[in-house]
Amino acid sequence: FGAGVARLAAQRGAADPHDHILLAASAAMSEPVVEPIADASAAPAAPSGEEPKKARGKPKDPNAPPKPKNAFQRVTGEARAKIKAEKPELAMDLKGMAMALKEVWEATPQEEKDKMTAEYEKEMEIWRPKWAAYKATPGYKEFFELKQDWIDGRTKKKLIKKFAKEAPKRPKSGYMIFAGEIRERVADEVAKAGGGMGDIGKKISEEWSALSEAKKAEYGLQSARSKEVYDVEFAKYRLTDSFREFMDEKAKLESKQQQKKLMRTKLADAPKKPPGAFALFRAEVMPSITAETKGLSTGDLAKKVSALWKDVPEDKKATYQKAADEYKAVYDKQMLEFRRNKSYTAFLKERMKVKQRENKLLNLRDAPKKPKSVFALYAERHKTEVQPGKGAGKGTSALKDKFSQATQEEKEELERRQKELKEKYAEEVRSFKESERYKNFEKTEAAPP
């Protein structure tokens, strides 16, 4: 018991006060629901002298000690290159490649597999302490955040995919329309030349670059027409229960991920939670169990430890519990001291911002929208009369010039309209404050941090 405790110890070291909230809600919820559509004729560029492209796929830690390969990885790793050379068409056929590798593995003699497995176990005994030491370094913590951001992104994509079935399909850019037209031909040409999936994208990009600007503009026009239809369909979709459910789930997921990230990054120096009685027992017996039952899965190891714990006499369990209580007393004292630090106060403030944002997104999404200004009403009426764009003589700048020259009669008419809209907005706000969602908002807002 004493050895287990010591081992674990060494590892630890004047208006309505809510009116401003309603008005601010639209700002918190104004973020785009769907990623903005790229320029209709835009294509991936291959810039020179600029920052390298963001790496795709699961992040890999170049500083981590290389993990030994097991028997299956050794056999299939050597076979993959050979299969690609003999059957280049499988380079782009993931299912076909998997079946070919499976056949190679099944054809490998059992004696050879056992030999490689024994070598793997010896290499793992050397690797495990190296890995444990590396996990304590700042480099690992930095990589862990990078990897966790990637995992969070994948989780969010799964949520979007889940609800995308009922949402209108986003229109393709001009480049993607072009790529869809030639992909099959290009894929066939690349396969015959022995290339891979990456070569397909490269060749499509090259052919796009060779197109005339007039031809690119044609594809851009196709994309623009598709977007007009999409905007109408998406406006209808925003009114559905499916969209509301998606937005609620998205807000909850983002808040959960952000709070966990704050806890990892802002509470890194916080005292570690103390072990319970069972954890102390597990730390003591795990080394001997691991040595006796090599190759046992994590789940089976947990079951074995739990079974052993059931057989521990009550007086021995009381000894473990006493030690756990002592750890807890030390932890409570350390935590009390830690909560006096500025870093903990900063963490609480940042977490509160995340929670408040979630509360607004969940409960103020249906809040009435503040009516437009007189100029905004004028701009909505005359926006088709000016050249779109930014700068002098275009867009908002041109509309401001037109507004300064508008007749007094039109301005007064717009002022009367805005007054009506304000009165309607005030009535809608009063009604919204009686809703269940607003009551939930107030309740959550008043809850302690």
Side-chain angles (χ1 to χ4, degrees):
F1 168 72
V5 173
R7 194 162 41 245
L8 197 59
Q11 297 172 357
R12 305 192 68 81
D16 188 315
H18 294 297
D19 276 352
H20 72 285
I21 297 174
L22 288 173
L23 298 179
S26 59
M29 297 181 284
S30 63
E31 59 185 46
V33 176
V34 181
E35 293 180 6
I37 305 295
D39 187 297
S41 61
S48 58
E50 296 184 8
E51 292 184 5
K53 289 183 179 180
K54 185 178 179 181
R56 299 179 64 181
K58 185 177 180 179
K60 295 181 180 179
D61 189 354
N63 302 316
K67 188 175 182 179
K69 294 181 179 179
N70 58 34
F72 180 79
Q73 291 170 328
R74 291 188 189 186
V75 172
T76 56
E78 294 173 1
R80 187 182 297 275
K82 186 177 179 181
I83 292 172
K84 280 185 178 181
E86 295 175 352
K87 299 178 181 180
E89 68 276 8
L90 292 181
M92 293 180 289
D93 183 359
L94 298 180
K95 185 176 180 180
M97 175 62 78
M99 292 300 294
L101 292 173
K102 182 183 177 183
E103 290 176 4
V104 173
W105 171 251
E106 290 176 348
T108 304
Q110 188 60 43
E111 290 182 8
E112 190 175 340
K113 292 179 182 179
D114 293 341
K115 181 182 177 182
M116 286 187 285
T117 299
E119 293 174 354
Y120 167 73
E121 290 295 343
K122 290 181 180 178
E123 291 172 354
M124 284 295 290
E125 289 179 8
I126 299 173
W127 177 80
R128 285 190 186 99
K130 290 182 179 180
W131 175 244
Y134 176 67
K135 287 178 72 175
T137 65
Y140 173 78
K141 292 180 181 179
E142 184 178 339
F143 170 76
F144 182 87
E145 286 306 313
L146 180 67
K147 182 180 176 182
Q148 191 60 48
D149 288 344
W150 177 81
I151 293 173
D152 288 348
R154 279 176 62 89
T155 305
K156 192 182 296 185
K157 284 181 180 178
K158 287 180 181 178
L159 177 67
I160 293 172
K161 187 176 180 180
K162 174 184 173 182
F163 286 92
K165 297 174 183 177
E166 298 182 36
K169 304 300 178 186
R170 288 182 59 195
K172 295 179 180 179
S173 67
Y175 174 78
M176 293 306 295
I177 294 173
F178 169 77
E181 292 178 354
I182 69 170
R183 182 175 295 278
E184 188 174 345
R185 170 181 61 80
V186 171
D188 186 54
E189 293 174 359
V190 169
K192 289 178 180 178
M197 289 185 178
D199 297 312
I200 296 176
K202 184 178 180 182
K203 185 166 175 57
I204 290 175
S205 182
E206 289 172 353
E207 292 198 17
W208 172 262
S209 299
L211 281 183
S212 65
E213 291 303 316
K215 194 67 177 175
K216 288 180 180 178
E218 290 180 16
Y219 284 107
L221 185 59
Q222 289 183 49
S223 176
R225 288 171 179 166
S226 298
K227 188 177 184 303
E228 289 175 1
V229 176
Y230 168 81
D231 288 343
V232 174
E233 292 178 345
F234 192 76
K236 294 177 182 177
Y237 172 66
R238 289 178 69 98
L239 302 176
T240 65
D241 291 339
S242 176
F243 178 77
R244 290 172 180 271
E245 185 181 354
F246 164 69
M247 293 300 290
D248 284 352
E249 292 297 319
K250 180 171 176 284
K252 291 175 184 177
L253 177 63
E254 289 177 344
S255 178
K256 181 180 178 181
Q257 291 178 343
Q258 290 169 10
Q259 288 185 58
K260 284 188 174 182
K261 188 175 183 69
L262 282 174
M263 291 181 71
R264 292 194 307 269
T265 57
K266 302 298 182 181
L267 299 183
D269 298 329
K272 305 304 177 187
K273 285 189 176 181
F278 175 72
L280 292 171
F281 169 76
R282 181 177 55 202
E284 180 180 328
V285 302
M286 187 60 79
S288 59
I289 293 176
T290 305
E292 294 170 2
T293 57
K294 288 185 178 180
L296 209 62
S297 68
T298 304
D300 289 335
L301 280 172
K303 290 178 181 178
K304 189 169 182 63
V305 175
S306 296
L308 291 173
W309 173 250
K310 289 180 181 179
D311 295 334
V312 175
E314 289 303 319
D315 59 337
K316 188 73 177 290
K317 286 183 178 180
T319 304
Y320 284 111
Q321 186 60 53
K322 182 180 178 182
D325 292 342
E326 291 174 358
Y327 273 110
K328 180 70 166 55
V330 173
Y331 167 79
D332 290 343
K333 184 177 180 181
Q334 292 174 339
M335 197 63 195
L336 186 64
E337 187 66 28
F338 176 76
R339 285 174 177 166
R340 297 192 181 104
N341 294 340
K342 291 183 179 179
S343 60
Y344 184 72
T345 303
F347 160 75
L348 290 178
K349 288 181 179 179
E350 291 192 48
R351 188 177 66 174
M352 178 57 70
K353 288 180 182 178
V354 173
K355 288 184 175 182
Q356 287 175 338
R357 179 179 180 274
E358 178 187 7
N359 189 25
K360 289 176 182 178
L361 290 173
L362 288 176
N363 295 310
L364 298 187
R365 184 175 298 114
D366 297 328
K369 302 298 183 286
K370 188 177 180 181
K372 295 180 179 180
S373 66
V374 172
F375 171 71
L377 293 171
Y378 177 87
E380 184 178 37
R381 178 183 292 179
H382 297 279
K383 63 183 179 182
T384 59
E385 301 171 13
V386 300
Q387 183 180 351
K390 296 181 180 180
K394 298 179 182 179
T396 303
S397 177
L399 286 167
K400 285 181 178 179
D401 291 339
K402 282 182 67 67
F403 182 67
S404 65
Q405 300 171 21
T407 63
Q408 188 63 29
E409 182 181 358
E410 182 176 16
K411 288 184 177 179
E412 289 175 355
E413 183 258 321
L414 291 174
E415 286 173 357
R416 288 194 297 272
R417 184 181 169 196
Q418 192 208 28
K419 183 179 178 181
E420 292 173 358
L421 291 173
K422 281 185 174 181
E423 291 173 352
K424 182 182 177 183
Y425 169 74
E427 181 59 37
E428 289 175 342
V429 167
R430 283 192 289 272
S431 177
F432 178 71
K433 287 182 178 180
E434 298 299 321
S435 69
E436 198 63 35
R437 284 239 170 183
Y438 184 75
K439 291 176 182 177
N440 286 338
F441 166 77
E442 285 189 311
K443 183 179 178 181
T444 306
E445 195 78 359

